[in-house]
Amino acid sequence: MGMQTGAHIVWDWNGTLFHDNDAIIGATNAAFAELGLDPITMEQYRELYCVPVPKFYERLLGRLPTEAEWSVMDDTFHRHYTEHRVGCGLTEGVAELLVGWASGGCSQSILSMYGHTELVPLVRGFGIEGHFIRVDGRTGPSGGSKAEHMVRHLAALGGVEPGRTVVIGDAADDAVAAQHVGARAVLYTGGSHGRASLEETGAPVVDTLAEAVAEAGRIAAA
């Protein structure tokens, strides 16, 4: 795959390593119901979803939700997501890809906007925690961008060069976060965003995580 020692992948979790589309759409529609909104399909979700998340709701409501509405919807989403996620698993081929990347002398970590206290035991429960030099979830309020979290994540890794780092995720915000720290991104179509919105970022867009890892290897070796 053209990998070189020193290359690093920062993996996204939801919609990337963790195939939780069913949980996401189920929890989203539960949150919509709190405001009397009609349910949406996964295809509509991928077309409309954006960060910060209140802007996503604005596209559906025609206005930004009030602070009280956002609080209700956010709490409802997370409560229902926790219930739905138990039926979800890792994206196909993840375990083999993690082993393969490490075997080339490369490192990897996870940075997710899912809450840190929920993320760590979830990763550990799948038996893959040992593949990562660091696992970071969101601390603080939900709904924001990953960019500033990426700054702290790379700083905490120590010795990982942004120029040899590739962020693999399923959202346009992953590309924004990568650019913010001087890294590159590869975006995966199997999660929260449709291909069209991902391509608008200018980052490479792929349909499988195997393609994402191969592209990350080429980027890091360039």
Side-chain angles (χ1 to χ4, degrees):
M1 285 188 274
M3 297 183 296
Q4 297 179 4
T5 300
H8 183 81
I9 289 175
V10 178
W11 291 97
D12 175 55
W13 178 249
N14 302 95
T16 304
L17 291 176
F18 188 44
H19 187 64
D20 60 349
N21 289 353
D22 289 346
I24 291 289
I25 195 65
T28 296
N29 283 331
F32 286 176
E34 292 288 333
L35 292 185
L37 293 173
D38 292 332
I40 62 172
T41 65
M42 192 67 212
E43 289 72 24
Q44 290 171 313
Y45 180 92
R46 284 175 166 157
E47 180 182 349
L48 296 171
Y49 182 74
C50 63
V51 173
V53 179
K55 296 291 288 183
F56 168 52
Y57 290 132
E58 181 182 23
R59 293 180 173 184
L60 293 148
L61 287 169
R63 59 175 175 80
L64 280 171
T66 66
E67 186 174 336
E69 287 171 335
W70 163 248
S71 179
V72 169
M73 295 173 82
D74 190 46
D75 288 347
T76 303
F77 173 88
H78 285 98
R79 185 173 70 254
H80 284 272
Y81 178 83
T82 299
E83 296 172 1
H84 284 285
R85 78 177 189 200
V86 297
C88 301
L90 297 176
T91 301
E92 183 178 358
V94 160
E96 294 80 6
L97 290 171
L98 297 178
V99 171
W101 180 258
S103 70
C106 304
S107 58
Q108 50 202 329
S109 60
I110 293 175
L111 175 62
S112 173
M113 294 300 283
Y114 191 44
H116 184 76
T117 56
E118 291 82 19
L119 174 67
V120 172
L122 189 54
V123 173
R124 187 174 296 144
F126 282 111
I128 60 172
E129 185 182 22
H131 295 300
F132 307 106
I133 60 175
R134 189 174 181 89
V135 175
D136 281 334
R138 171 186 49 79
T139 56
S142 62
S145 173
K146 186 179 278 188
E148 291 304 323
H149 295 271
M150 187 68 72
V151 172
R152 293 190 290 272
H153 182 72
L154 286 191
L157 293 177
V160 171
E161 299 176 22
R164 301 294 309 285
T165 297
V166 179
V167 177
I168 297 179
D170 68 316
D173 192 50
D174 291 301
V176 172
Q179 183 179 33
H180 188 68
V181 296
R184 301 280 295 278
V186 178
L187 301 179
Y188 163 62
T189 62
S192 63
H193 279 42
R195 175 176 284 275
S197 62
L198 296 179
E199 288 179 340
E200 289 176 0
T201 68
V205 178
V206 299
D207 295 320
T208 70
L209 292 187
E211 293 175 281
V213 172
E215 184 64 24
R218 287 191 288 271
I219 291 171

